């Protein structure tokens, strides 16, 4: 048994004694002892060790207090009709074991993603119930104001897949969308050049069409710009006939693709900037153009995998859902520990998937 005398009620340590022993302020000691946020783990441990040395709390209470409460994180994603977003949301739901070392709790909500007023309202509603929120941003003043309001209230915000300019978001997680668009343009140009030298393919240089989820997504706008710039450099003879919006919905993309195929019989290529490529693939097959039009899209899902295998799609650009979620969690963990937001976070890489290298 230790010979060290325990503090009696008359000589019980005070908060000021713990603060002096730990070398911190009394306000910091108060936050630690009452399990309030805003204190680094290393500082919390110093305070608890000082409190233990001064016999301020029973040992069982000290162990309990040294365990910070889990960080509550919310992911707001577009509707589940977008298969890639569905996969991302599903991973968040069953990744609890992988996230345990970060001491976080994650929830995912699929919400209306193309209405800025609704998105801003949902951001404020769910963000105020959490320590951090990750979402796919629309480029709009209402959304920007909601992000800035949450930041002012101490809620960390991370943009996912599509960024938001001039906002107080803490970080962006996603591929370089301009580079993604340039990569899609490069691939399409190379496929077209190949087919010109092999007339039997049935593909001829002609017109190119694009379908986006929405140009209110900064990421989709950046992909379009990168795509067009590369085509102008590599295939100046190819005419880009315009951009349609399908809101990442399979039925809407199907209708847009059918209209484009009917309007342009010499359509040589199609780039689906957003999700729901299965709708475009259905239109190509129904029109008998699935082996004649170069088709490039985004997001490796069971649907796009099937389209690659049967030759309807030529290439898919993708970013792995697991990496996206883990990067978000690492960023929120860094912010909790008051480290640089991107410390230890690897940049999201663009993966190009072809039929011959399907994972």
């Amino acid at each position: 048994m230790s010979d060290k005398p325990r503090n009696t009620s008359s000589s019980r340590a005070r908060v000021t004694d713990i603060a002096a022993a730990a070398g911190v302020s009394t306000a910091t000691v108060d936050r630690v002892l009452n399990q309030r946020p805003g204190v680094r783990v290393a500082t919390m441990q110093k305070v608890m060790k000082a409190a233990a040395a001064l016999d301020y709390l029973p040992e069982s209470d000290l162990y309990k207090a040294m365990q910070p409460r889990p960080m509550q994180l919310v992911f707001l994603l577009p509707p589940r009709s977008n298969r890639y977003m569905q996969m991302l949301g599903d991973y968040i739901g069953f990744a609890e074991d992988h996230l345990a070392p970060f001491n976080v709790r994650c929830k995912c909500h699929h919400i209306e993603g193309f209405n800025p007023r609704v998105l801003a309202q949902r951001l404020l509603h769910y963000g105020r119930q959490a320590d951090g929120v990750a979402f796919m941003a629309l480029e709009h003043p209402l959304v920007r104001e909601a992000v800035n309001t949450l930041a002012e209230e101490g809620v960390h915000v991370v943009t996912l897949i599509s960024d938001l300019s001039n906002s107080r978001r803490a970080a962006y997680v996603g591929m370089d969308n301009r580079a993604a668009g340039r990569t899609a343009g490069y691939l399409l140009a190379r496929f077209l050049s190949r087919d010109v030298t092999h007339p039997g393919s049935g593909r001829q240089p002609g017109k190119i069409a694009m379908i986006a989820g929405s140009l209110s997504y900064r990421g989709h706008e950046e992909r379009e710009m990168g795509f067009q710039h590369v085509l102008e450099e590599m295939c100046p003879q190819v005419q880009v006939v315009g951009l349609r919006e399908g809101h990442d919905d399979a039925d809407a993309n199907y209708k847009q693709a059918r209209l484009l195929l009917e309007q342009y019989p010499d359509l040589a290529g199609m780039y689906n900037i957003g999700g729901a490529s299965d709708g475009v693939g259905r239109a190509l097959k129904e029109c008998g153009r699935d082996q004649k039009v170069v088709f490039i899209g985004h997001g490796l899902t069971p649907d796009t995998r099937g389209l690659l295998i049967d030759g309807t799609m030529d290439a898919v650009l993708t970013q792995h859902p697991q990496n996206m979620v883990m990067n978000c969690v690492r960023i929120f963990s860094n912010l909790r520990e008051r480290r640089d937001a991107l410390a230890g976070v690897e940049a999201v890489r663009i993966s190009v998937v072809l039929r011959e290298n399907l994972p």
Side-chain angles (χ1 to χ4, degrees), residues 236-253:
Q237 76 279 15
V238 170
Q239 178 187 358
V240 178
V241 295
L243 175 65
R244 307 290 176 89
E245 290 185 330
H247 286 184
D248 290 346
D249 177 80
D251 289 336
N253 278 0

Side-chain angles (χ1 to χ4, degrees), residues 13-33:
R14 297 169 299 176
V15 168
T16 52
D17 300 321
I18 300 172
V24 299
S25 68
T26 56
T28 297
V29 173
D30 178 73
R31 284 199 294 271
V32 171
L33 296 180

Side-chain angles (χ1 to χ4, degrees), residues 341-358:
L342 298 178
V345 177
E346 294 185 5
V348 175
R349 301 183 183 279
I350 304 170
S351 296
V352 178
V353 184
L354 310 172
R355 181 169 64 178
E356 304 305 325
N357 73 341
L358 273 167

Side-chain angles (χ1 to χ4, degrees), residues 151-196:
E152 187 68 28
E153 296 175 2
V155 179
H156 303 303
V157 180
V158 169
T159 52
L160 186 65
I161 300 176
S162 187
D163 204 0
L164 180 63
S165 62
N166 301 317
S167 70
R168 293 181 60 186
R169 57 90 168 138
Y172 163 66
V173 173
M175 65 171 65
D176 180 333
N177 283 302
R178 192 178 182 91
R182 289 185 64 87
T183 301
Y186 175 84
L187 290 169
L188 191 143
R190 294 293 294 173
F191 281 129
L192 288 178
S193 297
R194 176 202 64 193
D195 291 331
V196 169

Side-chain angles (χ1 to χ4, degrees), residues 34-110:
N34 290 286
Q35 294 183 285
R36 297 191 182 99
V39 182
R40 297 177 62 180
V41 171
T43 302
M44 182 189 72
Q45 291 174 345
K46 284 171 57 178
V47 170
M48 299 312 297
K49 287 178 181 178
L54 293 169
D55 289 341
Y56 183 82
L57 290 173
E59 189 170 305
S60 60
D61 289 347
L62 283 172
Y63 283 131
K64 180 180 178 182
M66 287 185 72
Q67 297 297 320
R69 70 174 182 83
M71 197 176 191
Q72 305 297 321
L73 306 180
V74 173
F75 288 77
L76 302 182
L77 302 178
R80 295 174 67 88
S81 57
N82 182 329
R83 289 294 297 273
Y84 182 83
M85 294 300 166
Q86 180 182 343
M87 289 171 57
L88 189 59
D90 289 345
Y91 180 78
I92 294 167
F94 63 68
E96 201 70 29
D97 291 343
H98 294 90
L99 303 179
F102 296 95
N103 194 29
V104 300
R105 295 289 182 270
C106 296
K107 289 185 178 180
C108 177
H109 300 280
H110 290 272

Side-chain angles (χ1 to χ4, degrees), residues 295-352:
F295 178 25
I296 295 175
H298 283 264
L300 185 61
T301 67
D303 293 326
T304 54
R305 184 184 183 88
L307 293 172
L308 283 171
I309 290 173
D310 69 19
T312 301
M313 290 192 81
D314 293 274
V316 170
L317 280 64
T318 195
Q319 43 198 338
H320 299 292
Q322 298 92 328
N323 294 344
M324 304 283 288
V325 174
M326 294 308 299
N327 275 357
C328 287
V329 170
R330 287 189 180 95
I331 287 169
F332 286 124
S333 180
N334 286 338
L335 293 169
R336 176 177 56 192
E337 303 303 322
R338 299 187 180 181
R339 294 190 293 262
D340 178 77
L342 298 178
V345 177
E346 294 185 5
V348 175
R349 301 183 183 279
I350 304 170
S351 296
V352 178

